[in-house]
Amino acid sequence: MLEQVENEFSGVPMPAVTPHPSVVDGRMYRPLEDYVLRQQNGDILAMTRGHRIEISAHGAIRVLNKVTRQVEFEK
């Protein structure tokens, strides 16, 4: 879904290979597998260039800004 939205609205073509999180090209990308930690209890922690994404095994989601440490989304 994210790729479809970025293709339609970002104006930046999708590269053949997803760039490293430190690259800023005007698109948003899903977290790379190297930056995703899947825990034995089912929780998932994903790190992006600017956010820490926490997904609990029970379905709760929290997105924290890595700079401000503020919760930007929680459900």
Side-chain angles (χ1 to χ4, degrees), residues 41-44 53-63 73-75:
N41 67 357
D43 290 354
I44 299 171
I53 304 164
E54 302 168 351
I55 304 171
S56 85
H58 304 290
I61 301 171
R62 187 164 70 162
V63 178
F73 177 83
E74 191 165 23
K75 183 172 181 179

Side-chain angles (χ1 to χ4, degrees), residues 17-21 30-38 44-48:
V17 177
T18 302
H20 186 271
R30 63 176 175 76
L32 298 174
E33 282 301 316
D34 291 353
Y35 296 87
V36 177
L37 175 63
R38 299 174 193 282
I44 299 171
L45 171 62
M47 303 297 277
T48 67

